[in-house]
Amino acid sequence: MNEFHILLTLAGIHWIALMSPGPDFALVVQNATRYGRTTGIYIAFGLSFGILTHSILSLTGISLIVHTHPVWFALIQIAGGSYLAYLGFSTIKSLYQRWKNRHQPQKPQSVSLWLENRKQAFSKGFLTNILNPKALVFFISLMSSLIPAGFSASGKLMALVILWSLSFLWFAILAWLLSSQRLQNRLQSAAVYIDGLCGGIFTLLGLMIGYHALIRIFLSTI
């Protein structure tokens, strides 16, 4: 198989994986629905840079080193699980605060707060992806099975470009569609339920990942 066909296969597998529901998908749905298009795009930007980082670490072999050390990988799992649980708990807490203050008038956001939200959106997207242990394993498997040792430097660079651009394209399209005016009008009444569902998903995934990490550490010590 020549480099062109390898890159084509890489793009196809990655595109299918991107469309699979997971923390990244839920994060875009929640934020684009609640905060609008710009926030959704910045979330997409952060997620795509997380994927780019995973791709670079996998190509250089760093991710494989981490994965083959049970304690190191368990620590990544704990960090990722804790962050997802934090996102879930924060969402549920925010829902409770909104319900508690539902009869009070809402204050308009200032420009400085809006700019801060953009930075937070990028950071949230990046951290959600980079701390996802399943993403680490996926890219190790993808790179090790498709990219041979003799792959050219230009081919590896093109692989990184493909993985990043497809990631940003998919999540940006998702954010764009979810934040269209017509869909926003329909989703506005369901926003609280979307937040609750995403908050529950993040919390559950975080706790499950943390539990498996603790089991891994326990088994490695006996």
Side-chain angles (χ1 to χ4, degrees):
M1 190 185 301
N2 60 36
E3 291 195 356
F4 174 77
H5 289 108
I6 290 175
L7 292 174
L8 195 62
T9 303
L10 181 73
I13 293 174
H14 183 55
W15 184 255
I16 293 171
L18 284 171
M19 291 187 287
S20 303
D24 296 350
F25 186 91
L27 191 70
V28 174
V29 170
Q30 180 194 13
N31 285 272
T33 302
R34 167 62 63 181
Y35 301 110
R37 181 165 296 166
T38 302
T39 299
I41 295 297
Y42 273 82
I43 289 282
F45 202 42
L47 288 170
S48 64
F49 264 85
I51 288 171
L52 177 62
T53 304
H54 271 301
S55 303
I56 293 172
L57 294 177
S58 297
L59 274 178
T60 55
I62 295 175
S63 291
L64 183 60
I65 295 173
V66 172
H67 187 243
T68 52
H69 288 74
V71 175
W72 291 3
F73 185 61
L75 291 176
I76 293 292
Q77 285 183 302
I78 290 173
S82 300
Y83 184 70
L84 286 177
Y86 163 75
L87 286 181
F89 178 75
S90 298
T91 299
I92 294 171
K93 182 180 178 182
S94 176
L95 280 174
Y96 172 73
Q97 290 295 334
R98 289 206 299 270
W99 177 82
K100 188 177 178 181
N101 302 324
R102 62 190 182 281
H103 299 304
Q104 298 179 9
Q106 299 295 318
K107 296 180 180 179
Q109 290 185 332
S110 65
V111 175
S112 60
L113 180 59
W114 175 238
L115 291 175
E116 184 66 22
N117 284 343
R118 292 183 178 185
K119 295 176 184 178
Q120 290 177 354
F122 176 85
S123 300
K124 188 180 290 187
F126 179 79
L127 290 174
T128 299
N129 185 270
I130 199 66
L131 291 177
N132 186 354
K134 291 185 177 180
L136 184 145
V137 174
F138 170 76
F139 283 103
I140 290 174
S141 303
L142 187 64
M143 295 301 187
S144 61
S145 61
L146 282 181
I147 306 296
F151 212 63
S152 67
S154 60
K156 291 179 180 179
L157 180 61
M158 184 58 65
L160 294 177
V161 171
I162 289 171
L163 292 171
W164 176 82
S165 59
L166 285 179
S167 303
F168 179 70
L169 178 65
W170 164 247
F171 290 124
I173 289 173
L174 185 62
W176 184 277
L177 292 175
L178 289 170
S179 58
S180 65
Q181 192 60 50
R182 180 179 297 179
L183 194 56
Q184 280 282 299
N185 294 335
R186 294 182 179 179
L187 291 176
Q188 203 59 237
S189 58
V192 64
Y193 302 106
I194 294 173
D195 278 354
L197 179 62
C198 291
I201 290 173
F202 289 140
T203 303
L204 182 61
L205 283 176
L207 292 176
M208 288 178 60
I209 291 172
Y211 170 76
H212 288 301
L214 292 175
I215 294 296
R216 180 184 287 267
I217 291 177
F218 174 76
L219 292 177
S220 66
T221 58
I222 60 176

